[in-house]
Amino acid sequence: MTFTPLITGGLETALNRVLYRDRSLKAARQRLVGKVLMLRLQELDFPLVLVFSESQLDVLSDWQDSSDCSVSLRLSTLPKLRDRQQLTSLIRSGELDVEGDLQVVQQFSVLMDLAELDPAEYLAPWIGDIAAQGVSQAAQQALKFVQQQVTRRQDYLGQVLTEEWRVAPGALELAWFCEEVEAMERSLNAFEARLAQLEAK
């Protein structure tokens, strides 16, 4: 069973709700009408093609025509697209590989930045304002806690591997080893040159 239609359908519903319900985003949406943005996520074996029209956004996984802009990135980079100030640094660092019209991804970034992604707003019709706000705050705190725990575990694992178990070398040890390898390579090249001179005689 393939999850592709489920992913594209869910994303299409969510993006339409966030980007097309708010009338204040109309000017930002207008710049993207008729444009096609292809997102190639390294974690997915199919592209996410965003086709912008006047009234809605279509998310497809199979697109035969050319796109105005194609962007290759990791899933972890996707949230960073909301910050239009980061686009240039993301491209420079190689986290974002853009082919085609750069303005399309810039305008998409602006649109995402202007959109208010407040989960409470979408929960309120079903569970009420106060409960939705409480659930939203609890979810944000839980997410923050999980991110802190992941960061702490990564730091701990890095220290265990380099300091306690000595499985991985520390940064200074690695630099020293690289310098020693280069020195050995220079000595070997000098030895080969002397040997070649002796053989020539």
Side-chain angles (χ1 to χ4, degrees):
M1 180 184 170
T2 177
F3 290 102
T4 306
L6 192 65
I7 293 170
T8 55
L11 190 60
E12 181 176 302
T13 302
L15 286 174
N16 274 307
R17 190 167 285 174
V18 170
L19 303 178
Y20 280 80
R21 272 182 51 187
D22 192 345
R23 288 185 181 151
S24 66
L25 298 176
K26 187 173 182 180
R29 285 195 306 262
Q30 283 298 119
R31 296 187 195 104
L32 285 166
V33 170
K35 302 291 185 186
V36 177
L37 173 62
M38 183 178 291
L39 300 175
R40 296 184 182 278
L41 296 169
Q42 292 177 17
E43 292 83 357
L44 297 178
D45 55 0
F46 57 90
L48 293 171
V49 183
L50 310 182
V51 183
F52 296 90
S53 70
E54 189 84 39
S55 58
Q56 70 175 37
L57 168 67
D58 294 311
V59 180
L60 310 168
S61 61
D62 187 24
W63 183 256
Q64 303 303 324
D65 293 335
S66 61
S67 59
D68 295 290
C69 181
S70 177
V71 181
S72 300
L73 69 162
R74 298 187 67 81
L75 193 59
S76 57
T77 310
L78 206 52
K80 296 178 186 176
L81 285 183
R82 283 197 72 203
D83 186 357
R84 52 189 162 188
Q85 308 298 329
Q86 280 193 27
L87 275 181
T88 308
S89 61
L90 288 173
I91 293 169
R92 259 195 239 117
S93 69
E95 288 184 72
L96 213 61
D97 183 24
V98 181
E99 290 177 26
D101 188 356
L102 180 62
Q103 279 194 332
V104 175
V105 74
Q106 287 173 332
Q107 289 162 352
F108 178 67
S109 178
V110 168
L111 184 59
M112 291 298 290
D113 189 23
L114 293 173
E116 288 188 27
L117 302 176
D118 184 11
E121 184 183 330
Y122 304 107
L123 289 173
W126 288 290
I127 62 173
D129 289 340
I130 296 171
Q133 193 62 37
V135 168
S136 177
Q137 286 176 349
Q140 287 172 355
Q141 287 173 349
L143 183 62
K144 197 173 184 180
F145 176 76
V146 167
Q147 288 172 334
Q148 288 172 344
Q149 290 301 312
V150 167
T151 305
R152 193 174 294 145
R153 295 278 189 265
Q154 286 174 334
D155 292 344
Y156 174 73
L157 183 61
Q159 288 176 1
V160 166
L161 289 174
T162 56
E163 302 298 326
E164 291 182 31
W165 295 349
R166 309 293 291 163
V167 173
L172 289 174
E173 290 173 311
L174 193 60
W176 174 82
F177 178 75
C178 290
E179 286 175 14
E180 288 295 308
V181 168
E182 288 172 10
M184 182 70 76
E185 190 177 4
R186 286 193 297 271
S187 298
L188 186 60
N189 289 341
F191 176 72
E192 285 177 347
R194 282 198 305 269
L195 190 61
Q197 286 176 348
L198 287 172
E199 285 177 349
K201 292 178 183 175

